Structures are given as C-alpha cells and as structure tokens.
Amino acid sequence: MTKTVKLFIPGPVEVSAKTFAAMTTPMIGHRSGDFKNLYREIHPRLQSLFQSNKQVYLSTSSGWGIMEGAVRNLVNKGVLNCMCGAFSDKWYDVSKRCGKEATALQVEWGQPVDPAAVDQALATGKFDALTLIHNETSTGLMNPLAEISAVLKKYPDVMFIVDTVSSFSAVPIPMDELGIDMMVTGSQKALALPPGFSLFACSDKAMERAAQVSGRGYYFDLLEFKKNGEEFMTPSTPSIAHIFGLRSKLEDIFNEGLENRFRRHRETNAIVHEWVKANGFEFFAKDGFRSVTLTCVRNNREIDVPHFTKKLRDEFGFQIDGGYGKIKGKSFRVSNMGDETVDTVKPLLDAMSRCLP
Ligand SMILES: *Cc1c(COP(=O)(O)O)cnc(C)c1O
C-alpha cells in the first residue's frame, strides 16, 4: 500500500497524530505511584463521560472481552439477550458459550428493540440479567435506551447490561440516572483510540451480584477490578500506552466541550444523511431510531458495493465499509465517529458521489 487510506469505517476509526504521540510517552510501572496518579488524574473525566459516580474500570481487551465478562459475572438464573443486528445477536451466542441459560429477544435487523416486548419477557421471572446494545453498529440503529431503562426499573433484580461501544461520548448516556448496572465501551470507535482497550463501570448491585456468581474466572472478574480499582490499579498489567492516549483524548473532549461534541456528531451525521437522500438511497435503520455516529445505507439502487468501495479507496484514499455480516453488499456504512467534522466529511461525500455508477 503506497497511498495512506483514511478510515471512515465504523471502527477502528482514524486516530489523530496527537493521540499517537501521547501513546509513545515513556513507560511507567503499573504498580507505581506514577500509574496510580495517571489513573486518578483521568478518573473524574471518565466519570463525567459515564455520567456516573461509580468507579470507571480499564480493561486491556477489546469490547468483547468485557462483554463476555459481563455475562460471566452477572448471570445466575438466565439472561435475556435483546437482538437487532450482528453485535447484539452475537451476545446471545457468547452467553450460551459461557454456559448461561440464554434467551433471544429478536427483532428484524434495522428495527429497534421493543420496550413492551422486553417488559413481557421480564415479567416471566425467568431472567436475572439483560443485554442491550445501545447503538447497533451493523445496522446503524440506536435503540430507545430511555424507554427500555424505564421498563428495567420495574425489575430491580435484573442486571441491566448495556454496550455503548459506538455511541459513548458522542451522545449523552446518563448511566446512573438510567439505572444501568454495567456499561461497557471500547476504544476504537467513538473514542478514536487504537483497538485493544475497553472501559466499563458497574452499579453497587452489579458488584453484589458478581459476589454471588461462580465461574467468573480471573481476567474479567469484577471483584478483582473493584479491589484493584480502589487503589487506582488494574488486576493485571494494562496497556499503559492506551491510557496515555486516553488521557490525551479526554483533554481533546473536554477542551471541545461535551455539548459541542454532541452537536458536532449530529451535524456530521446530518450531512451524510443528506447525501443518502440526494443520491436516491434509503436508510437501513427505521426512521426515528437512526444512529448519529454512523450511517448504514440500504443499497436500494443495487449498485456493486465492492466495486464502489474499492474505487473510493483506490482513487480517493477513503475507506468505507461494504456492509456487515448477512447485509454485506446489501448495505454500506459510513462512520462519523471520533474527530470527524463537517469539513472532513464533505470531501468523503464528494468522492462518494464521483464513485457512484
Ligand atoms: C465494535 C463493537 C464491539 C466490540 O468489538 P471488538 O471487536 O471486541 O472491539 C461491541 N459492540 C459494538 C456495538 C461494536 O460496534
């Protein structure tokens, strides 16, 4: 590869030179005072982003590590997996592979999870945990988190486990107010860090539940995170480079201001939506439930998607995604996560227009 390609896929996204530079900060020992100070220094900002007064934990794994960990730590009786796309469908498979009693609450891809159906399922009393993907990255759909959380409040014994990997920091997600018991996010999507790192926070109830669940293992044992977290350490040696990168990214986020950041995501997303409409395409996700961090375009024009994305990459140096899983080729996805602005997204959209048949 000679030309550098700019990523507009929904993860990993472009990582800024500033972030990369921060990641080359000289190493420190993970049991040293320097490390504890680093973790302590970034912690208030992490709590602001989680909108939580709980400890925020740092996991050296991609999102799936701690998503699997959530199930292994919090499910005794049975887990209800809300499924509406590739990532949420996979959580059901992961739950079963962890040996848990798992039940699928499936809607068609592109449709949101229905709060009334959640209520009906939980009323059976068969479940003590529920998994939900806030922003289903495969279909570009944002689930009605507030409505679903209102249902969960009727079932205090059901652990509310929420993946916010592709929406975290791009839209407000008030963890404590929504009664989320475990909220998980990853590094390479909305946070625009390299992949291989994730963050999470837990309610007190979640920690109490974990204490009653056997088979938690070690690497993702919530009680290990809690014990070490009290001293601003991690159970095992973390990716310290990621944490330096995260400190730099938090600086960017709070310099920009959260409201400005949320607005920027809405504005960049809106111009992608305009492109979709202007070019005779439709959206994959249902109206009213579309993500603001990425756009999943329905290929109703039946263009040759692999040809389109290849041309865009080879001739213009922009990489978009040609559809995920069973909707590959039937859709394509454009991300506006991370540092993208109207000025950086416009050249992409112009190039996309020129690559259309
Ligand atoms: C990317 C993503 C993940 C995590 O995937 P990893 O490959 O483990 O980083 C989880 N959930 C959603 C919604 C995602 O978009």
Side-chain angles (χ1 to χ4, degrees):
M1 195 171 69
T2 46
K3 204 158 119 192
T4 51
V5 171
K6 175 158 178 171
L7 297 181
F8 280 99
I9 56 174
V13 305
E14 277 296 292
V15 177
S16 72
K18 175 175 180 281
T19 300
F20 276 134
M23 293 181 78
T24 65
T25 306
M27 243 348 96
I28 53 178
H30 68 298
R31 301 295 179 218
S32 68
D34 285 348
F35 180 82
K36 294 179 191 177
N37 287 339
L38 171 64
Y39 190 170
R40 204 179 273 116
E41 178 191 338
I42 62 173
H43 195 253
R45 287 178 159 180
L46 292 177
Q47 285 181 313
S48 303
L49 287 182
F50 273 80
Q51 298 187 43
S52 175
N53 61 17
K54 301 298 166 209
Q55 180 88 16
V56 176
Y57 300 106
L58 312 173
S59 173
T60 299
S61 64
S62 80
W64 274 115
I66 198 65
M67 288 161 76
E68 174 170 328
V71 169
R72 292 184 65 184
N73 276 268
L74 299 180
V75 183
N76 256 336
K77 192 156 57 168
V79 57
L80 183 69
N81 301 111
C82 300
M83 293 153 64
C84 62
F87 289 96
S88 47
D89 289 11
K90 185 167 161 180
W91 220 344
Y92 171 59
D93 184 38
V94 168
S95 302
K96 286 188 294 185
R97 290 189 197 204
C98 291
K100 301 296 183 181
E101 188 65 42
T103 300
L105 184 70
Q106 179 92 63
V107 293
E108 202 185 314
W109 283 27
Q111 297 296 311
V113 173
D114 174 14
V118 170
D119 198 359
Q120 206 176 19
L122 295 183
T124 62
K126 280 167 52 187
F127 306 104
D128 61 359
L130 172 142
T131 66
L132 176 73
I133 298 221
H134 176 221
N135 194 64
E136 175 49 75
T137 317
S138 64
T139 61
L141 179 130
M142 200 169 270
N143 274 307
L145 184 58
E147 288 78 358
I148 295 169
S149 86
V151 170
L152 265 290
K153 285 188 177 154
K154 290 168 56 182
Y155 304 94
D157 295 333
V158 177
M159 291 291 124
F160 188 21
I161 308 168
V162 182
D163 161 318
T164 64
V165 174
S166 60
S167 52
F168 183 78
S169 84
V171 297
I173 309 171
M175 173 176 164
D176 290 356
E177 194 185 306
L178 294 171
I180 295 173
D181 291 299
M182 185 160 174
M183 182 162 133
V184 179
T185 192
S187 57
Q188 79 275 27
K189 308 273 172 88
L191 282 174
L193 294 167
F197 197 76
S198 50
L199 304 122
F200 67 98
C202 294
S203 67
D204 295 338
K205 258 196 320 183
M207 287 298 177
E208 286 158 23
R209 170 67 60 79
Q212 299 161 5
V213 177
S214 57
R216 301 190 303 275
Y218 168 72
Y219 197 72
F220 296 115
D221 182 357
L222 297 184
L223 301 184
E224 286 291 337
F225 278 96
K226 181 171 190 287
K227 189 177 77 190
N228 284 278
E230 279 161 7
E231 292 184 71
F232 289 95
M233 289 193 295
T234 52
S236 51
T237 318
S239 173
I240 295 168
H242 269 97
I243 303 172
F244 284 129
L246 179 60
R247 177 170 67 179
S248 162
K249 180 47 68 186
L250 290 169
E251 220 171 74
D252 301 343
I253 291 173
F254 285 88
N255 282 344
E256 180 179 19
L258 287 181
E259 286 310 320
N260 292 337
R261 182 175 172 85
F262 300 149
R263 181 171 353 100
R264 176 166 61 76
H265 281 86
R266 288 196 301 272
E267 287 172 359
T268 49
N269 188 251
I271 65 167
V272 180
H273 279 219
E274 281 162 26
W275 183 93
V276 172
K277 290 180 215 156
N279 287 282
F281 286 105
E282 293 164 5
F283 297 93
F284 195 84
K286 186 177 175 177
D287 191 16
F289 299 93
R290 289 173 192 149
S291 167
V292 297
T293 59
L294 79 139
T295 307
C296 185
V297 185
R298 188 183 292 278
N299 183 17
N300 52 291
R301 280 179 57 178
E302 300 190 353
I303 63 165
D304 180 345
V305 170
H307 176 78
F308 173 59
T309 58
K310 184 173 187 304
K311 192 168 175 192
L312 188 63
R313 181 190 167 101
D314 294 349
E315 293 180 18
F316 295 92
F318 294 129
Q319 181 77 54
I320 62 167
D321 171 84
Y324 194 104
K326 67 182 183 190
I327 55 173
K328 196 179 179 75
K330 295 181 182 144
S331 63
F332 53 92
R333 298 180 302 161
V334 178
S335 163
N336 60 283
M337 288 182 231
D339 302 332
E340 302 310 330
T341 63
V342 166
D343 287 343
T344 64
V345 173
K346 268 188 182 152
L348 166 74
L349 299 175
D350 290 343
M352 281 166 58
S353 299
R354 293 169 68 182
C355 291
L356 284 174

